[in-house]
Amino acid sequence: MRDEKKSKKKQKLKSNQESSKNSKKHFYQELRKVIEASDIVLEVLDARDPLGCRCPQIEQLVNQSNGKKKLMLILNKIDLVPKENLEKWLTYLNKELPTVAFKSSMQLKDKTVQQKKHTKRHGVYTELTRSSLCFGSECLLKLLQEHSTGKEKAIQVGLVGFPNVGKSSIINSLKEMRACNVGPERGLTKSMQIVHIDKTIKMLDSPCIIAAPSNSALILALRSTTDFDGENSVNSIDAILKHCSKQQIMLHYNMPDYRNTLEFLTLLARKRGMLKKGGLADTEGAAALFISDWTGARVSYHSRPPATWNLPPHLSDQDAVAALQQFNTQDLEEGNRSTIKDNKYPSPASSILFQSPGFTDGITEDQDLPEEVLEQENIEGSEDEEEDNFTEDERNEGESDFEDMEAENDRIKNDKTTIEKLDAKNANMEILPTGTQVDIDKTADMDDAYDFNTDYI
Ligand SMILES: Nc1nc2c(ncn2[C@@H]2O[C@H](COP(=O)(O)OP(=O)(O)OP(=O)(O)O)[C@@H](O)[C@H]2O)c(=O)[nH]1
């Protein structure tokens, strides 16, 4: 009886800890801790939508330190955009902030998958080997090490960014091991985590920036941690689909023409074998899978930089000049050139063109959180306090077995998809250059690391 009570208490403690660590307030408090502790802040951007991953409020917060903290951009996931597009973005972004091109290694997760698949198909093995490579780490480490020269203590480098941009993957790539938890679930990192790269550099992983609820539906679909359900999920996918070419979506998902987003999700669910009781298409599941493709490691899409460059309103001329002077421009350019040369890219024809909604507003202060969110989190907090009369030992026990996040990753990884040949009649390919051939790989197994629908060159 006593044991049963203890186990109930432990369960309760575990779920209380989980909900408080998941709270938006906790996320941005931890994020602020990382920024305060950092000498250099790296804002991580998904190369598929660099502007959409920039947060003016966070950049302003770093710049308020009057030069004590340095700000740099990391353009991650460069393996998912065409080479020409990457080059344009680097030219554009490097006009205002030092920007390093990066492709994270996903090697640790892939090792077992790699062995399994090698026995199946040699071609797949090659793709996975490529996914395990990291590009850009030499350039980044060189720039950081220049900063640590002459310093008595190791410099602290904070990584910040919206969910799933690859903050933890970058740290793992620099450390060459799985030091931080990584995966397609958004908002996986809950608290600050310190990883020593060497004697001179400490990296600080942070929970994601919380997108302000006032952002557009498109931004919230891609940059928030909110779980989507029902109408909400259809609206989110609708917002994304409206910002891409329908023909390219049909081509990528090997799908016939669809009348609306609900029909798209129904077709996607059926194609992926996602059925509910009674054979109904699981459109919510299909929506979650679609979003995870778009924010995770799979789909190749790209946005174009604005035609003319203008300093964004949240940065002053002095901010930009100071930021660019703080790093060795020559090393940065040479490093990026070598990264661009070594990495492999999807061909422009197999990458979906996406219209970026622009900067994403983030929450950095209590008062930025809408009252209903704060109220809800306060109610949960006070309930926790009332019932939370555990001993210190019980608390520690709860902490030690806290977190099992692999379940969600497995759910997504286990989605075995059979990609059928494109029905050329249904796919109107007029937007593609005449004669363009898109190599659609009929691979049955899809893992988190590579999209075999993409034609890598
Ligand atoms: N293709 C590709 N996928 C990447 C790259 N970097 C990260 N990913 C994938 O993107 C997903 C998110 O990576 P994480 O490192 O967990 O991202 P995060 O920013 O720490 O995420 P949060 O904890 O949600 O804030 C994972 O599925 C990674 O495998 C990359 O360079 N290329």
Side-chain angles (χ1 to χ4, degrees), residues 302-322:
H302 65 281
S303 55
R304 291 189 180 130
T308 49
W309 175 79
N310 286 310
L311 193 65
H314 68 276
L315 290 182
S316 68
D317 286 331
Q318 294 96 303
D319 289 336
V321 172

Side-chain angles (χ1 to χ4, degrees), residues 219-261:
I219 293 182
L220 292 176
L222 290 170
R223 309 284 159 232
S224 78
T225 52
T226 318
D227 287 331
F228 302 102
D229 48 35
E231 205 182 322
N232 186 5
S233 66
V234 177
N235 290 342
S236 299
I237 308 303
D238 191 52
I240 297 177
L241 293 180
K242 281 203 176 110
H243 287 77
C244 313
S245 136
K246 190 179 193 186
Q247 285 78 23
Q248 283 188 319
I249 292 284
M250 283 159 51
L251 188 61
H252 182 88
Y253 286 93
N254 289 322
M255 202 164 265
D257 198 359
Y258 48 88
R259 279 166 299 178
N260 53 40
T261 302

